[in-house]
């Protein structure tokens, strides 16, 4: 049984403004969930959103309020393993996938610690000990982005890049992307994320030019609900079309797969509504022949390592991951930072998530 369920908001500045079609971030607010059991185990979970309510239907404030008001009392009354508790939460609470994911992460962290196993093993077992991580160039300035990319390559931190586009005219965006592609050369994979800013006609124009320029992937070109357009674009172009915002867990994964509305899925644990549900998305993709990419909601280290444990169990991860969230933050909230080396993130071997939070640091950046 759980003796305490605490939810805190921690706001940390980013290393530079992060410009996307949906929002420009100067800080990131981490919703951290700390669950303490009566026999002394402590589990951590995390949820983040992008630009408040700019990205999805949950905000950091709604996640905290809903956990305190609805999730915590229910959890105090529920017994059982993580699956049965998750089912009880699903039966009693609609939506709120990000909050559900944060709670499930903390419960799995506890369960794995109890078994003295890394969290990946509780999800069936890891198939790799580290995973590739790309970097997102989103300063808004072509020269700055090129310099940032070159520095990342030299430091062996990242050698794949995703560019955030969609807030400028298509021609300007294409010019920006192709200038970066030209500066970095043919061996460096460049992908773009439109964050649903284009109409279908915009997308036809933009994707054709980007495909001709050697870009490798187009992420979420059109509106969340415009599955018809996603389907037609996937059929029309050879370039990989990836569903991100449109992919909201196993159910939408099934419908997108059935419609052939994407050639790649950006799996996010929060968007899926939990780590277990993210592995279900993996199964749908595998059965439908859809490639996989490990996505992020720009979580801090808790959500990032929870995602890494999850993605480590996927049979294939053709497009790698974007688990760079903690590297976008100016402050370290772990006692020992996550290990990024040789273009990959190393997945810990110690029990549970395998991290230790620096609670003094949390106190310092906590929103009261
Ligand atoms: C998104 O839409 O992909 C992931 C990386 C990043 O820079 O923003 C997020 C959200
Ligand atoms: Mg995206």
């Amino acid at each position: 049984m759980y003796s305490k369920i605490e939810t805190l908001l921690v706001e940390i500045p980013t290393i530079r403004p992060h410009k996307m079609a949906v929002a420009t971030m100067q800080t990131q607010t981490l919703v951290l969930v700390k669950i303490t059991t009566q026999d002394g185990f402590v589990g951590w979970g995390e949820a983040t959103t992008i630009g408040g309510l700019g990205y999805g239907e949950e905000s950091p404030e709604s996640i905290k309020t809903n956990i305190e008001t609805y999730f915590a009392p229910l959890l105090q009354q529920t017994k059982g393993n993580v699956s049965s508790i998750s089912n009880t939460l699903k039966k009693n609470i609609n939506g709120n996938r990000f909050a559900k994911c944060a709670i499930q992460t903390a419960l799995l962290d506890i369960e794995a610690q109890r078994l003295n196993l890394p969290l990946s093993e509780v999800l069936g077992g890891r198939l790799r000990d580290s995973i590739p991580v790309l970097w997102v160039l989103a300063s808004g300035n072509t020269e700055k982005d090129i310099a940032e990319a070159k520095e990342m390559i030299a430091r062996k931190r990242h050698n794949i890049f995703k560019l955030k586009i969609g807030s400028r005219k298509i021609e300007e965006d294409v010019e920006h992307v192709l200038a970066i592609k030209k500066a970095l050369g043919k061996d460096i994979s460049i992908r773009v994320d439109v964050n649903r800013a284009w109409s279908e006609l915009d997308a036809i124009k933009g994707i054709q030019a980007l495909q001709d320029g050697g870009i490798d992937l187009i992420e979420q070109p059109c509106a969340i609900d415009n599955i018809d357009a996603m389907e037609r674009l996937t059929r029309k172009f050879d370039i990989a079309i990836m569903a991100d915002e449109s992919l909201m867990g196993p159910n939408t994964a099934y419908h997108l797969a059935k419609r052939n509305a994407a050639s790649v899925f950006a799996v996010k644990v929060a968007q899926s509504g939990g780590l277990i549900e993210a592995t279900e998305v993996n199964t749908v993709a595998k059965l439908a022949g859809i490639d996989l990419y490990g996505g992020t909601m720009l979580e801090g280290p808790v959500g990032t390592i929870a995602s890494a444990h999850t993605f480590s169990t996927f049979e294939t991860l053709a497009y790698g991951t974007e688990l760079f969230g903690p590297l976008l933050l100016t402050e370290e909230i772990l006692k020992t930072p996550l290990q990024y080396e040789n273009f990959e993130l190393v997945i810990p071997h110690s029990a549970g998530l395998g991290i230790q939070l620096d609670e003094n640091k949390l106190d310092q950046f906590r929103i009261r």
Side-chain angles (χ1 to χ4, degrees):
M1 288 299 275
Y2 309 109
S3 65
K4 228 173 171 190
I5 298 157
E6 296 160 87
T7 310
L8 40 147
L9 298 183
V10 175
E11 189 179 14
I12 301 179
T14 56
I15 55 172
R16 56 151 168 74
H18 198 63
K19 292 192 180 157
M20 295 160 278
V22 282
T24 297
M25 288 166 58
Q26 312 263 10
T27 64
Q28 176 61 308
T29 303
L30 319 179
V31 187
L32 293 170
V33 179
K34 181 183 182 185
I35 300 184
T36 309
T37 68
Q38 276 166 358
D39 55 347
F41 285 96
V42 175
W44 286 92
E46 180 188 347
T48 50
T49 73
I50 291 175
L53 278 170
Y55 193 95
E57 293 155 348
E58 288 167 82
S59 69
E61 296 76 13
S62 81
I63 294 169
K64 180 172 157 58
T65 303
N66 289 343
I67 288 178
E68 287 171 352
T69 317
Y70 298 98
F71 286 78
L74 205 55
L75 273 168
Q76 307 279 18
Q77 297 161 23
T78 313
K79 278 195 199 129
N81 61 27
V82 180
S83 291
S84 68
I85 296 173
S86 295
N87 282 344
T88 304
L89 294 178
K90 273 185 219 161
K91 261 189 214 135
N92 289 280
I93 297 173
N94 286 308
N96 290 276
R97 296 187 311 279
F98 288 32
K100 282 176 181 159
C101 179
I103 297 284
Q104 195 190 78
T105 303
L107 298 180
L108 284 168
D109 186 19
I110 291 168
E111 222 33 57
Q113 288 178 55
R114 224 185 255 294
L115 295 165
N116 198 22
L117 289 171
L119 199 154
S120 56
E121 305 315 287
V122 177
L123 292 173
R126 67 177 66 184
L127 296 168
R128 50 187 81 76
D129 286 323
S130 64
I131 39 178
V133 179
L134 62 62
W135 181 250
V136 169
L137 299 169
S139 74
N141 175 285
T142 311
E143 293 314 313
K144 267 193 200 160
D145 282 356
I146 292 171
E148 200 174 288
K150 285 188 171 166
E151 196 212 321
M152 295 298 180
I153 297 168
R155 285 170 59 198
K156 287 191 153 207
R157 259 258 309 263
H158 310 277
N159 57 3
I160 304 171
F161 300 94
K162 160 165 143 177
L163 276 53
K164 288 287 187 178
I165 61 170
S167 48
R168 294 180 279 204
K169 282 195 196 133
I170 299 172
E171 296 74 17
E172 287 170 28
D173 270 339
V174 168
E175 199 181 321
H176 167 75
V177 175
L178 297 188
I180 293 175
K181 174 71 193 165
K182 192 165 167 229
L184 300 179
K186 67 173 184 10
D187 294 337
I188 299 294
S189 174
I190 304 288
R191 299 107 184 247
V192 299
D193 189 355
V194 190
N195 280 123
R196 61 193 194 246
W198 286 344
S199 69
E200 187 172 355
L201 279 179
D202 290 342
I204 291 171
K205 212 163 120 190
I207 296 173
Q208 189 66 60
L210 294 168
Q211 178 174 289
D212 293 346
I215 301 312
D216 288 328
L217 175 144
I218 312 285
E219 180 172 341
Q220 195 70 42
C222 299
I224 292 180
D225 295 329
N226 201 350
I227 307 304
D228 291 346
M230 291 286 282
E231 181 186 338
R232 286 188 287 265
L233 295 170
T234 304
R235 186 166 306 149
K236 184 174 172 64
F237 292 102
D238 295 331
I239 192 171
I241 306 284
M242 184 159 80
D244 181 12
E245 287 95 316
S246 294
L247 181 58
M248 293 179 266
N251 200 32
T252 51
Y254 169 68
H255 288 289
L256 289 168
K258 211 164 119 185
R259 296 277 303 275
N260 256 313
S263 39
V264 187
F265 280 172
V267 187
K268 293 179 172 173
V269 295
Q271 279 276 79
S272 300
L275 280 51
I276 296 169
E277 289 73 8
T279 65
E280 292 171 359
V281 174
N282 163 52
T283 306
V284 173
K286 190 166 85 177
L287 295 175
I290 290 170
D291 280 331
L292 288 170
Y293 173 70
T296 180
M297 282 305 297
L298 299 174
E299 288 99 340
V302 177
T304 296
I305 211 64
S307 303
H309 279 284
T310 308
F311 303 153
S312 78
T313 69
F314 294 1
E315 209 170 295
T316 58
L317 209 49
Y319 285 84
T321 79
E322 58 183 13
L323 293 179
F324 66 89
L327 302 171
L328 193 64
L329 306 177
T330 54
E331 299 294 330
E332 181 55 63
I333 59 162
L334 297 185
K335 287 187 180 157
T336 309
L338 298 185
Q339 206 182 332
Y340 288 91
E341 58 183 37
N342 285 323
F343 309 110
E344 303 214 335
L345 167 62
V346 178
I347 303 154
H349 280 284
S350 43
L353 288 168
I355 52 171
Q356 274 189 303
L357 277 291
D358 177 346
E359 297 205 42
N360 290 331
K361 213 42 172 304
L362 296 185
D363 238 24
Q364 209 181 319
F365 287 89
R366 189 169 170 178
I367 304 173
R368 282 169 213 280

